[in-house]
Amino acid sequence: MENIIVLNEEQLEDVIYKTVSRCLEEKHIGNYVEKPEEDGFYSRDEICSLLHIAYPTLWRIEKSGLLNSQKVGRKNLYSKAEVNQLMKSGKLAKYSHRK
């Protein structure tokens, strides 16, 4: 006997998100830093490489208030402790630019 389940778009997105998150967690994917350093700062290039994002995405993350930068001369620097905490919190995985 087959059961048919009807989901709206939001419910389907939620089911897919939870399933993919569970799979990534089981495979330990997304753990970018094995031994996170708490002292020091990341540059903009290091952050983008570490998080696998482009500059505009980093800018949107900053504008949303998830991450703060410190201006030193002409460079934006990001606290390693803050970045590592943000990565562990999972808030970056939920961040997406919605139309």
Side-chain angles (χ1 to χ4, degrees), residues 35-91:
K35 293 182 180 179
E37 298 177 30
E38 298 297 324
D39 296 334
F41 296 89
Y42 289 119
S43 68
R44 184 180 289 170
D45 290 334
E46 290 171 326
I47 282 282
C48 289
S49 176
L50 181 69
L51 301 177
H52 305 286
I53 58 174
Y55 293 135
T57 304
L58 178 59
W59 180 81
R60 286 192 301 269
I61 291 171
E62 282 185 68
K63 286 300 246 183
S64 72
L66 289 176
L67 187 61
N68 297 314
S69 66
Q70 295 180 357
K71 194 91 164 162
V72 177
R74 296 180 67 184
K75 292 185 176 188
N76 288 344
L77 299 178
Y78 305 86
S79 166
K80 288 184 178 184
E82 185 179 348
V83 171
N84 293 331
Q85 182 181 6
L86 186 60
M87 289 170 46
K88 288 177 186 176
S89 73
K91 290 181 182 178

